[in-house]
Every structure is written in C-alpha cells, then in structure tokens.
C-alpha cells in the first residue's frame, strides 16, 4: 500500500513541475491597475439629481465626488472593480449599493441610481404610479402620455390640455400667468428658440415629457448660482421609440384677396442629432380679434406678408463635444391703417385728439447663432457662443393729427400733417465664452464668463411736416400755416463688454457660500445730422439741430450669499454691492463746444430666495431681486435739443438710475389621485428714482386771437411708482381626462406718477380678469369642444384737471372645437362674442366666427388632407382697444378686410427607426431628454 501512495505522490509532483515549466514560458496578461466608473443619479420621476454626494470605497480606493447638473458623476483611476457606492442628497433617502464588476473592464457604466424622496415616500404612498405633474425647484414637468389628442396633432394641441397652459392662436405660450420665451428639444435650443415654430410644427406623438423651466442661464445651470430673474423656457423631451426618425409636414393654402399660407416643416432626429428645417410664407390680416379668449391684444389693422425660413442643427461631435447652430431669415411687409382718438391730460387743461395714419413697413434680416460645448474632462467644461445678425428696413408714414386743446390759456386747434420716409440698415455680432472648473471636493466650483456684443445702424429719413392752426373747432378758418422739410441722417454704434466670475465653497453637507463678481461696460456713439430742403430744392445744413454724443455706462456687481439646502427647504440670503458710473460728451449746437457729463451711484441690493417642497407635488417659492436701469443719455444731456420746434427736449444731468424692487411668490399643489391642480402667484414691483417726464407748456401767440403751445420736455426722478399682480389657476381632470375644467384669474393694481407743468399727479389702474374654460373630449377624441367665458373690468383714474375715471367692462363668450366624422372628415370651428361697455361712441358687440373642414386620406405612415377655411364669416371685426398712460388715454379702432377663405392641402409624413442603442443596450438619458453616449 505504501508503494502505491509513493507512486501517486511522484505522479502529482511531476505534473505540477511540468505546469510550472510551461507557465514560466507563457506570456503574462497585463494587470489593469486603473479604470473609470460613471453613472447617473435620478429621482423617482427620472429627473436628474444635481450635486448629489457620491462616495466610492473598496480595499484600495476611497473617493468622493458630486453629480453635475445632469445627475452624472465620474470617478477616474479606480483600482478595484468591486466597490461600495454611497449616494446621498438633502431631501432624499441615502442609497448604499455594492457592485461586483469584471476586473478587466476599463470603463464601468452603472445603471441609473434612483434616490427616493424622503417625504414623498412617507406621505404619498397612496399614489398610483408617478404623478402626471411633478414640481421641482426650477422645473414643472408634465407626462405627455396622460393627455390624449387626435392623430397628427401638433404640440400646441397637446399643451392646451395641460393644466396651467394657455396657448394663443399665434403660437404664444403662457404658463401659470407667465410668458414662455424660449423652446428646447431634448435640452438643446430648437429652431433658434422660437416657441411658436416649435409647438406648431412638432407632432405631439413624439413627446414624452413637457417641462417648463425657470432658466437663469447656462452659467447658473453649471454652478448653481442664480442671479437676477429667470426666464421661462419650454423643453420638449422625445419618447425613446420616437428618437430616431424623420417627420415632415407640408401645408399649401390659397385664398381670395391675395391671402395665402405656405408651410414646410422637416425634422430628422437621431438621438442627440437633430436637423430641423421650418419654412413659412403667408399673407394675413392684422387687427383681427384673437380667437384665443386668453388674449386681449389686437394688432394694428392692416395686412402683412411675411416669412421666416429657419434651419437649426444639434449634434454630438465625439463623446465630449456638442454643437448647436441655427440660421433664420425673415422678411415682413406690413400695410397698416390706424384710426385712433382719445384725450391728453395736463395741469393746463384737456386736449382731445384724432389721429389717422397709414404706414407701410418692409424689413428683411438674417440671424446666425452657434454654440459649442466641450466637456474637456470630468472637472472642466467650456462653452462658446457666437451670434450675428443684420437687418434692412424701410417705412413710409402718412399721419394726420387734429387736436382740440381746451387750455386755461385759451383754445387751440392745431392740425399736423406728416409725411415721412425712413430706411434703416444695421448689423450686430457677439461672442461669449464660459469656463467651469469643478474641484475634487464635492460642490466646490469656479467659473468665468466673458463676452462682448457690438451693433451698428444707419437711418436715413425724409420728413415733411405741415403745421396749420384754425380759429375754432372746424377747419374752415385758417389762421396760420407753416411747412418744414428735413433730411435726417443718423448713425448709432454700441459696444457692450461683460465678464462674470463665480466661486462656490461648501461649508457643510447642506450649506454653501457663493461669490459672484460682474462688470458690464456699455459704450454708445450716436450722431444725427439734419438738412432743410429749401424752396428751390437745395439742401441747407442746420447745425442747431445736429445731435452728436458719446457716452458709456459701467456697472460693477459684487455678490456674496449663503445658500442652505435642507430636506424640504432651500434658502439663499446675501447682498449685492452695485457701484455704477455714467459719463459722456456731446456737442452743444448753441455754443459749438463739447459738454461733458458724469454720474456716480452706489446701491446695496439684498439677495433672497426661499423655497419649500412638501413633496414633488407641492411647493412654495418666494424671491426678491433688484435691477438698476441707467437713464438714456438724451435724458441727461446738459443742453437744449430743438430738433422738433413744438417739442423741445431739456436734459437733466443730475438724473439717478432707476432701481426696481421685485418680489415674486408662487404656490403649486397637484393632487395625483384626484387629478386636481392649484397654482397661485404674486408679482410686486416698486420703483425708486423712476425717470418721469415733466412737460412744461409755454404759450406763444400766433395771431391776435390764437395761441400756440410749445412743450418743453424735462426729466425728473420721482418715487412711489408701483405695480402688483396676483393670479391663480385651478384645474380638474375628470373621467380619464375626457373632461377638463380650468378656472384662471388675475387682479392687477398699478400706481404711476407723472409731472405736468412741474405739478405732480398720478394715474391708478385696476384690472380684474376672470376666465373659465372647460374642455370636453368624447368618443375617443372624435368630438372635442371647448366653451369659454371671460369677464374683465378695467378701471383707470388720473387726478389731473378735468380728468375723469374710466371703467371698461368686457364679457367674452367663446367656443372652439373639432368633430371627426366618418370617412376621415373633420370639422373645426371657433367663435368669440364680445360684450363691451364703457367706451365713448362705441356700442357694438362684435361676433367673429372662423370655421373649416378637412378630408383626410390616410396611409400607414402618411396622411394627405384637403382643407377649406373661412375667416370672420359674419364680417364683424370692428373691435376697439384702449391704452392708458399718465399722459393720455388712446382708443384704436380695428375695422379691416378680415373676411376671406383659404383652400389647400396638408401632407404629413413620418418614418421611425426605433430606440437609440449602444452595444445592444438602450442609451441612458439625462433629465432634459438628451442621450448619454
């Protein structure tokens, strides 16, 4: 037995020795000492969590970093592929995960890390799935799949079904009472940012989420430092399965009275790559009451032929560089007829006026924008923006103004007939660079932004004015007349330089100290030369009317604030120190000498922002901001400008900059189970050192029985101007969103000071506006009807001599909808009826009806429709609009050729290629919809 064990031992030993000899000569695999680990942090709604703290620990590693604005984090030089990851952020439950990875993998991309909202998990356990509406600190997000719209609908029709959205017929978008000014697709500017083009051309079927973002700018998005008031931006994120494909929409319609509407829209989408072409040419009518009941704006009556072809491009150039560019060409030819009347107030008495004018405007221009973003590495980011634009325009104006002046100094009846031709050419360009550095310590960062813009314009004008003075209220007895014919050449050049530096220092896990320094310098050069045309046609230079000046305005802002991010609340508290300097020189035509002016000012502006979030469905926000606005140089020029003999301008070199205090607050609450949403907002403004006009009226006799009044226009600083607006929006979805009830309203109060003949007075205004608009969708969206009722009361009062209060009441009844009939027929209609009281000499209650039908020939991937539309069917477009200022009240009559029809074709094409993939897996996405390669 011993021999057997000995033989087995020799065999095993020999085999081991042989393996050692073989392995000794075999090549060794190189050890992978370092690797990259990356991932994305999101909340339960898929929104990225910015500045979350991420800690990686293993036997050989101990690292910490923070997620960027897109929720992305990256670790470099990781030694172990097996590690423990701890992710935490204020307001979320800390998540600890253990990862086992292949040691040979050089780049490890982790699955999305989902953080759970602490409060939401405790208080909202009864919610069935993610809420339709999610409120974040700077974003309101809607899930598009919860809103049903008919096939081939565009985004504007989808937005009309969403709570708090108001969409105008012209493509304007208002969210909870505030105008949305920019459009993005998957986080990148779309079509140059034009909101109307985006929502009226993109199909609703591609939308995954709609986001309304409080946009503080790219620098704030990267650093977290918010400065000033935000603008509202619409961001459309696409569905994953509709993120590769091509869509096209063609519209061609012709009508009577020279009306037409031609549109072309083509988009090619491939993940982050978007090619967009939108072209439109139309001939439309101005001055028609908007068929959107939420709009009270009526443009100047007339006709417009316009077009705005747009091309935009977005793409990833490699793994780190993103390029975005756009080109817009626009032209506009408008013929407008304006008939206005009203009265002007002064301490010297009351003036009634009638103004009839005809204006022909023609303009064309180009705008080019380009943005390059380079994520240099995990710590450094560079962005460069370049813009260029030019414009050529001409305007021919013919105006006849008749005034009946019932002054204490005597009755006057001047009539002024003006004929003017002006042509303008100009161009501008700008360049801005932004660099952001993120330190290894979480939440510590530094940024610098620098840029300049320059614009130049030249105006050539030919102005003929006839002044006539009559004895009484008729034009039968002419007392005196005179004629002025001037040739005016103006040049204007401006340069603006701006630089901003920021630094963020974390104090604790929840507290940050923020520093911002900013310098803005604006330099202006302007020159106006006037020549008079003599009776023989020769030109004679009028040096007394020349206006040549150079001035600059420099503002320095230094801000330090403390920011605290709690579990539910966020607070920013600090101060901004703002010294300003204004200086300039101008040629005094009375003495032919240069006159210099300089002004220094200093102000401390509080910094305050506070938000409290009970959950992702409920939030409260309040913020204060202050803005300095420099006076125009013509307002501070230290001499008399007599270029208009009836309106002489006397500058005030002691004017101070106007400072605007602004406080905004909002409360939003969405009840997911009840599909019920409420929103309240308040916007208050108080003005210090408001620049006001003091018109001093000087009487000069022109005959033994008739006087002429000359207005000396002076400028003064006054305090006490204020305005406050409170608004609300209440909405309720019923029966699986087939019924929608929306109630919106606002109350506005304004108090505005003015000066007349050195006597102070004021105008106060109240506006009470209520709107109720349900929407009904039946039979799977085949029958859609949206009735509407609105009631508005506008009251104004000016406490000057002979001024009386003015109250206008308007009741609007409106309805619009679509009916989808068998055999692919569709009827659509909208009508608005106005009941108006309070206008003098206006007793009409117009009814404007628009209607049409479509016959659709549908295939699997395309749709062709025959269309017929008729506008202002009853030809009752005779609206009146009112404009009130402390100086005057003006009424504009709208009565234009607005009844016409259009007949044409609509073609929709689309082809889709599925979900963007990489290595057989769907690409992950950031919270703004952009894809991560």
């Amino acid at each position: 037995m011993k021999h057997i064990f000995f033989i087995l031992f020799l065999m095993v030993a020999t085999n081991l020795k042989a393996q050692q000899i073989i392995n000794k000569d075999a090549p060794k695999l190189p050890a992978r000492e370092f690797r990259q680990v990356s991932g994305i942090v999101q909340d339960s709604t898929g929104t990225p969590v910015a500045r979350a703290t991420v800690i990686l620990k293993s036997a050989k590693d101990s690292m910490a970093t923070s997620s960027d604005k897109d929720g992305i984090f990256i670790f470099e030089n990781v030694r172990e592929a097996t590690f423990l990851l701890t992710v935490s952020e204020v307001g979320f439950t800390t998540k600890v995960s253990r990862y086992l990875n292949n040691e040979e993998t050089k780049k490890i991309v982790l699955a999305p890390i989902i953080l759970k909202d602490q409060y939401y998990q405790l208080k909202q356990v009864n919610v069935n799935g993610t809420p339709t509406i999610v409120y974040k600190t700077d974003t309101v997000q809607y899930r598009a799949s919860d809103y049903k719209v008919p096939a081939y609908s565009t985004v504007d029709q989808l937005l009309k079904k969403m709570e708090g959205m108001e969409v105008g017929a012209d493509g304007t978008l208002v969210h909870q009472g505030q105008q949305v000014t920019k459009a993005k697709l998957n986080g990148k500017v779309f079509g140059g940012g034009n909101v109307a083009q985006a929502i009226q051309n993109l199909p609703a079927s591609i939308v995954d989420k709609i986001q309304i973002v409080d946009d503080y700018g790219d620098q704030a998005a990267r650093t977290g430092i918010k400065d000033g008031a935000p603008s509202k931006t619409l961001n459309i994120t696409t569905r994953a399965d509709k993120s590769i494909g091509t869509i096209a929409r063609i519209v061609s319609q012709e009508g009577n009275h020279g009306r037409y509407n031609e549109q072309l829209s083509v988009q090619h989408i491939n993940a982050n790559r978007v090619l967009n072409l939108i072209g439109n040419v139309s001939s439309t009518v101005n001055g028609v009451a908007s068929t959107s009941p939420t709009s009270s704006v009526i443009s100047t009556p007339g006709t417009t032929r316009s077009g705005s072809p747009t091309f935009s491009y977005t793409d990833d150039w490699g793994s780190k560089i993103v390029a975005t560019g756009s080109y817009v060409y626009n032209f506009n030819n408008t013929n407008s007829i304006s008939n206005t009347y009203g009265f002007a107030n002064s301490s010297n008495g009351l003036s009634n006026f009638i103004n009839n004018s005809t204006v022909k405007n023609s303009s064309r221009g180009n705008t080019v924008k380009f943005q390059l973003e380079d994520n240099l590495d995990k710590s450094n980011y560079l962005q460069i923006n370049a813009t260029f634009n030019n414009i050529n325009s001409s305007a021919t104006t013919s105006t006849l103004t008749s005034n009946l002046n019932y002054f204490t100094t005597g009755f006057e009846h001047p009539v002024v007939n003006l004929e003017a031709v002006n042509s303008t050419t100009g161009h501008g360009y700008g360049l801005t660079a932004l660099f952001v550095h993120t330190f290894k310590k979480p939440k510590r960062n530094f940024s610098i932004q620098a840029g300049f813009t320059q614009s130049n314009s030249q105006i050539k004008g030919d102005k003929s004015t006839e002044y006539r003075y009559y004895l009484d209220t008729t034009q039968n007895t002419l007392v005196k007349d005179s004629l002025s014919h001037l040739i005016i050449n103006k040049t204007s050049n401006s340069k603006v330089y701006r630089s901003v530096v920021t630094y963020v220092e974390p104090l604790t896990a929840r507290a940050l100290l923020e520093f911002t320094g900013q310098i803005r310098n604006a330099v202006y050069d302007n020159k106006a030369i006037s020549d008079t045309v003599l009776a023989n046609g020769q030109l004679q230079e009028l040096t007394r009317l020349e206006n040549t000046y150079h001035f600059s305005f420099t503002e320095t802002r230094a801000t330090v604030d403390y920011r605290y991010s709690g579990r539910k609340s966020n607070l920013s508290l600090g101060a901004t120190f703002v010294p300003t300097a204004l200086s300039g020189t101008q040629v005094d035509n009375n003495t032919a000498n240069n006159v210099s002016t300089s002004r220094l000012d200093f102000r401390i502006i509080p910094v305050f922002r506070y938000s409290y979030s009970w959950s992702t469905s409920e939030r409260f926000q309040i913020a204060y901001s202050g803005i300095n606005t420099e006076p125009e140089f013509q307002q501070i020029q230290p001499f008399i400008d007599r270029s208009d003999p009836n309106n002489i301008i006397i500058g005030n070199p002691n004017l101070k900059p106007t400072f605007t205090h602004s406080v905004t607050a909002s409360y939003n609450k969405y009840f997911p189970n009840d599909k019920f949403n409420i929103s309240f907002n308040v916007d208050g403004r108080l003005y210090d050192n408001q620049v006001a006009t003091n018109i001093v009226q000087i009487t000069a006799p022109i005959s033994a029985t008739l006087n002429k009044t000359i207005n000396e226009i002076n400028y003064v600083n006054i305090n006490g101007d204020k305005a406050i607006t409170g608004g609300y929006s209440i909405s309720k979805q019923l029966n699986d969103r087939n019924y929608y009830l929306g109630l919106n309203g606002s109350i506005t109060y304004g108090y505005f000071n003015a000066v007349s003949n050195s006597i102070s007075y004021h105008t106060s205004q109240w506006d009470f506006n209520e709107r109720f608009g349900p929407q009904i969708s039946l039979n799977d969206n085949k029958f859609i009807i949206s009735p509407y009722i609105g009631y508005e009361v506008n009251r104004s009062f000016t406490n000057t001599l002979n001024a009386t209060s003015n109250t206008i009441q308007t009741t609007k009844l409106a309805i619009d909808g679509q009916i989808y009939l068998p055999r692919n027929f569709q009827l659509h209609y909208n009508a608005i009826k106005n009941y108006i009281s309070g206008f003098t000499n206006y007793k009409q209650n117009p009814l404007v009806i628009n209607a049409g039908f479509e016959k659709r020939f549908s295939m699997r991937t395309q749709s062709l429709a025959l269309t017929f539309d008729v506008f202002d069917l009853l030809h009752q477009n005779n609206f009146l609009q009112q404009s009130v200022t402390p100086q005057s009240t003006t009424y504009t009559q709208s009565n234009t050729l607005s009844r016409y029809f259009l007949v044409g074709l609509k073609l929709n094409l689309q082809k889709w290629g599925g979900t963007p993939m990489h290595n057989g897996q769907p690409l992950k996405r950031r919270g703004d919809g952009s894809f991560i390669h």
Side-chain angles (χ1 to χ4, degrees):
M1 182 66 67
K2 293 181 179 179
H3 294 288
I4 295 175
F5 281 112
F6 179 73
I7 294 171
L8 290 175
F9 172 77
L10 289 177
M11 293 176 62
V12 172
T14 303
N15 184 53
L16 290 175
K17 184 65 176 178
Q19 288 185 5
Q20 291 176 0
I21 295 173
I22 294 173
N23 292 336
K24 182 178 180 180
D25 297 330
K28 295 183 179 180
L29 293 174
R32 300 191 184 275
E33 293 292 334
F34 301 105
R35 58 193 48 79
Q36 182 191 82
V37 177
S38 64
I40 183 171
V41 185
Q42 299 175 335
D43 63 16
S44 57
T45 68
T47 302
V49 178
R51 295 180 290 278
T53 300
V54 186
I55 300 173
L56 185 150
K57 288 189 176 182
S58 69
K60 297 182 179 179
D61 300 298
S62 181
M63 302 179 175
T65 187
S66 59
S67 58
D68 64 13
K69 71 180 184 68
D70 298 313
I72 297 173
F73 65 89
I74 300 175
F75 288 104
E76 301 285 358
N77 301 326
V78 178
R79 294 178 180 272
E80 290 283 342
T82 299
F83 51 80
L84 195 70
L85 207 65
T86 303
V87 183
S88 62
E89 173 61 340
V90 176
F92 295 91
T93 301
T94 299
K95 187 169 185 177
V96 181
S97 304
R98 185 174 181 82
Y99 293 90
L100 304 175
N101 301 285
N102 190 332
E103 291 289 343
E104 299 300 319
T105 304
K106 296 180 65 176
K107 288 188 176 182
I108 300 174
V109 180
L110 305 178
I113 299 171
I114 308 300
L115 295 184
K116 297 180 180 180
D117 188 309
Q118 292 176 336
Y119 186 83
Y120 181 75
Q121 294 300 315
L122 294 174
K123 300 296 184 180
Q124 301 291 335
V125 294
N126 61 328
V127 174
N128 297 322
T130 305
T132 299
I133 303 176
V134 174
Y135 288 104
K136 293 294 183 180
T137 301
D138 295 323
T139 303
V140 184
Q141 181 173 284
Y142 298 79
R143 187 170 56 225
S145 60
D146 289 346
Y147 303 91
K148 308 301 180 184
V149 293
Y152 302 104
S153 295
T154 47
V155 172
D156 58 340
Q157 294 169 287
L158 175 66
L159 292 172
K160 289 179 181 179
K161 288 183 170 287
M162 293 180 170
E163 295 85 343
M165 301 284 192
E166 297 176 293
V167 184
D170 58 353
T172 55
L173 176 61
V174 175
H175 179 256
Q176 296 179 357
Q178 293 184 288
Q179 185 87 25
V180 178
T181 58
K182 185 188 293 185
K184 293 184 176 181
L185 182 70
N186 290 334
K188 301 301 177 185
V189 175
F190 179 82
N194 189 300
V195 175
Q197 285 195 349
I199 67 176
Q200 291 180 337
N201 288 280
L202 287 173
S205 60
I206 73 171
V207 180
D208 178 39
K209 297 172 185 175
I210 291 291
Q211 297 174 335
I212 302 295
V213 182
D214 290 336
D215 191 353
Y216 290 87
D218 294 329
Q219 192 169 20
R222 288 278 171 176
T223 65
I225 297 180
K226 302 172 184 177
D227 185 27
S231 60
K232 291 290 183 181
T233 296
L234 167 71
N235 184 47
I236 302 169
T237 70
T238 58
R239 290 168 41 183
D241 62 335
K242 294 294 179 69
S243 294
I244 297 179
T246 302
I247 49 181
R249 182 171 179 265
I250 302 172
V251 177
S252 179
Q253 297 175 312
E254 302 290 334
N256 61 334
H257 301 305
R259 308 289 176 254
Y260 54 84
N261 178 36
E262 312 290 341
Q263 300 179 27
L264 170 65
S265 173
V266 180
Q267 290 84 35
H268 174 71
I269 303 174
N270 188 348
N272 290 338
R273 178 188 300 164
V274 178
L275 297 175
N276 170 56
L277 174 63
I278 297 177
N280 59 79
V281 180
S282 63
S283 174
T284 57
V285 175
N286 309 328
V288 180
S290 172
T291 53
S292 171
T294 60
S295 175
S296 59
V297 177
I298 306 172
S299 59
T300 302
T303 59
T304 294
R305 183 174 67 87
S306 62
S308 183
T310 301
F311 173 77
S312 64
Y313 164 83
T314 298
D315 195 12
D316 291 341
W317 291 359
S319 60
K320 296 182 178 181
I321 300 177
V322 179
T324 303
S326 66
Y327 168 75
V328 180
Y329 172 78
N330 61 75
F331 66 89
N332 188 295
N333 298 318
T334 301
N335 296 327
S336 61
I337 303 172
S338 179
N339 300 315
T340 63
Y341 67 92
F343 56 89
N345 307 305
S346 74
S347 60
N348 193 31
L350 186 68
S351 176
N352 295 325
F353 62 85
I354 298 175
N355 181 294
N356 299 321
S357 65
T358 300
V359 180
K360 295 182 179 180
N361 282 311
S362 176
S363 66
R364 65 184 185 276
N366 301 271
T367 301
V368 180
K369 297 180 181 180
F370 182 75
Q371 177 179 283
L372 194 66
E373 298 176 86
D374 191 345
N375 293 281
L376 303 170
D377 51 47
K378 71 169 187 176
S379 301
N380 299 295
Y381 167 84
L382 177 66
Q383 181 191 97
I384 298 175
N385 285 278
T387 63
F388 172 81
N389 66 79
N390 68 2
I391 186 172
N392 291 274
S393 66
S394 63
T396 302
T397 305
S398 177
T399 303
L400 180 65
T401 303
S402 176
N403 288 70
L404 299 178
N405 301 331
Y406 299 95
F407 292 155
T408 56
T409 54
F411 172 79
E412 301 174 12
H413 185 190
V415 175
V416 179
N417 187 8
L418 170 67
E419 301 286 340
V421 178
N422 292 289
S423 62
T424 302
T425 60
H427 69 273
Y429 54 89
L431 183 66
T432 302
L434 168 65
F435 173 77
V436 181
H437 175 74
T438 303
F439 295 90
K440 291 183 179 181
K441 184 176 181 179
K443 302 183 181 180
R444 177 188 288 170
N445 64 69
F446 164 82
S447 76
I448 181 169
Q449 184 181 64
F452 78 94
T453 58
Q454 179 170 338
S455 62
N456 305 283
S457 65
Q458 299 82 37
I459 301 175
K460 296 182 179 180
D462 188 330
K463 177 182 175 182
S464 296
T465 309
E466 182 182 10
Y467 303 92
R468 291 175 294 180
Y469 301 89
Y470 294 94
L471 182 64
D472 51 30
T473 57
T474 69
Q475 297 186 20
N476 297 328
T477 306
L478 179 65
V479 177
K480 185 178 180 180
D481 65 346
S482 61
L483 181 65
S484 171
H485 189 181
L486 297 176
I487 304 296
I488 302 172
N489 294 288
K490 296 181 179 180
T491 59
S492 177
N493 302 311
S494 67
K495 297 178 181 179
V496 179
Y497 303 88
R498 180 175 180 266
S499 61
V500 184
V501 177
T502 71
Y503 177 75
V504 178
E505 176 62 31
L507 302 177
T508 66
R510 298 185 178 185
L512 302 169
L513 194 61
E514 301 175 333
F515 300 91
T516 304
Q518 179 182 159
I519 298 177
R520 179 182 178 273
N521 175 246
V523 181
Y524 305 92
D525 286 289
N526 295 275
K527 185 175 183 179
I529 300 175
S530 299
D531 297 326
T532 185
V533 181
L534 303 177
N536 59 6
Q538 293 183 345
L539 298 181
Q540 178 179 328
E541 184 177 358
L542 299 177
T543 57
R544 64 184 178 86
L545 300 184
E546 289 185 1
N547 198 350
T548 303
Y549 60 89
H550 166 91
F551 78 100
S552 65
F553 180 81
T554 302
E555 180 183 75
T556 304
R557 299 172 69 96
T559 302
V560 56
D561 68 275
Y562 169 83
R563 176 154 57 97
Y564 173 80
S565 299
R567 186 169 67 89
K568 301 178 184 178
S569 60
N570 290 273
L571 171 68
S572 291
L573 190 63
T576 301
F577 305 89
V578 187
T580 59
L582 188 151
S583 62
T585 60
Q586 182 161 356
V587 177
D588 186 345
N589 297 315
N590 299 313
T591 63
N593 295 320
N594 287 344
V595 181
S596 299
T597 298
S598 64
R599 288 286 305 159
L600 298 176
D601 189 68
F602 178 80
R603 182 176 289 272
I604 299 177
I605 304 173
V607 173
F608 174 73
R609 278 184 298 273
Y610 176 75
S611 66
Y612 189 91
S613 298
W614 289 266
S615 70
T616 55
S617 299
E618 184 177 16
R619 72 174 183 182
F620 169 77
Q621 295 178 310
I622 185 170
Y624 167 88
S625 63
I627 299 175
N628 249 347
T629 305
E630 71 269 23
E632 298 177 7
F633 189 78
Q634 288 178 317
Q635 295 173 336
I636 64 170
Q637 57 186 359
F639 61 88
I640 300 174
D641 182 353
R642 302 180 183 274
S643 56
D644 184 343
N646 287 341
N647 296 280
I648 300 173
I649 299 175
I650 302 177
N652 179 3
N654 296 316
L655 284 179
K656 298 180 179 179
T658 298
F659 184 78
T660 305
H661 305 269
S662 178
V663 177
T664 59
S666 64
Y667 171 78
N668 309 101
K669 171 67 174 176
Y670 179 63
F671 300 86
N673 289 344
D674 299 322
K675 298 182 178 64
F676 180 67
N677 187 78
I678 57 174
S679 297
F680 300 94
N681 59 78
V682 177
D683 187 331
R685 298 175 187 271
L686 178 65
Y687 302 88
D688 290 340
N689 297 320
Q690 177 74 17
V691 177
T693 302
N694 176 23
I695 301 178
V696 178
Q697 296 173 312
I698 300 174
T699 301
I702 59 174
S703 72
T705 58
L706 195 64
N707 294 325
K708 168 187 175 181
T709 295
I710 299 173
N711 295 321
E712 282 191 355
I713 302 173
N714 302 266
Y715 299 100
V716 295
N717 287 122
I718 56 178
N719 294 318
D721 282 20
K722 51 184 172 287
I724 184 169
T725 299
Y728 70 91
S729 174
I730 301 174
S731 55
K732 169 70 174 175
Q733 302 275 5
L734 300 167
N735 190 25
D736 195 24
R737 292 190 168 83
N738 287 319
Y739 299 92
Y740 169 74
L741 304 178
L743 177 65
N744 303 277
S746 64
I747 299 176
T748 301
Y749 171 72
Y751 184 97
F752 307 102
N753 290 285
V755 184
S756 174
N757 294 309
S758 300
I759 299 174
S760 298
Y761 67 100
H762 71 269
T763 293
S764 58
Q765 290 181 274
W766 281 96
D767 186 84
F768 177 77
N769 195 342
E770 297 293 321
R771 309 182 297 275
F772 175 66
Q775 297 179 22
I776 302 170
S777 302
L778 301 175
N779 194 17
D780 196 23
N781 278 311
K782 291 183 179 179
F783 182 85
I784 303 173
I785 181 172
S786 301
Y788 168 92
I789 182 171
Y791 179 72
E792 182 176 10
V793 178
N794 186 288
R795 184 183 185 275
S796 61
F797 174 75
T798 302
N799 69 333
T800 58
L801 183 65
N802 298 322
T804 59
S805 62
N806 185 26
T807 302
I808 305 297
Q809 299 183 46
T810 304
T811 300
K812 292 183 179 181
L813 302 177
I815 188 171
D816 68 74
Q818 300 88 38
I819 302 174
Y820 293 84
L821 301 173
R823 300 182 181 275
N824 290 326
F825 276 96
Q826 174 202 335
L827 299 178
H828 53 268
Y829 57 90
N830 56 65
I832 182 169
K833 175 72 173 179
N834 283 259
Y835 295 92
I836 305 172
S837 63
F839 285 130
T840 305
N841 302 323
Y842 183 79
K843 304 297 182 183
Q844 302 182 60
N845 297 308
L847 171 63
V848 173
I849 299 176
N850 303 326
F853 77 87
E854 293 184 6
K855 166 60 177 175
R856 192 176 299 278
F857 306 92
S858 298
M859 285 67 78
R860 188 168 62 91
T861 60
Q862 59 188 20
S863 172
L864 177 67
L866 175 67
T867 69
F868 176 80
D869 296 277
V870 60
F871 301 88
D872 193 12
L873 187 62
L874 303 181
H875 204 191
Q876 292 191 14
N877 180 56
N878 45 22
F879 289 84
L880 193 70
Q881 47 186 335
Q882 175 186 256
S883 174
V884 178
T885 68
Q887 288 79 22
S888 64
T889 300
T890 303
Y891 303 99
T892 301
Q893 179 76 44
S894 175
N895 190 358
T896 189
L897 186 60
S898 55
R899 181 165 60 183
Y900 65 99
F901 69 85
L902 291 174
V903 61
L905 295 171
K906 292 182 180 180
L907 177 63
N908 290 282
L909 306 171
Q910 54 182 303
K911 183 178 181 181
W912 300 104
T915 301
M917 308 287 286
H918 180 69
N919 293 332
Q921 297 293 325
L923 288 177
K924 296 180 176 62
R925 307 181 74 174
R926 301 179 179 90
D928 61 5
S930 58
F931 290 85
I932 304 172
H933 288 281

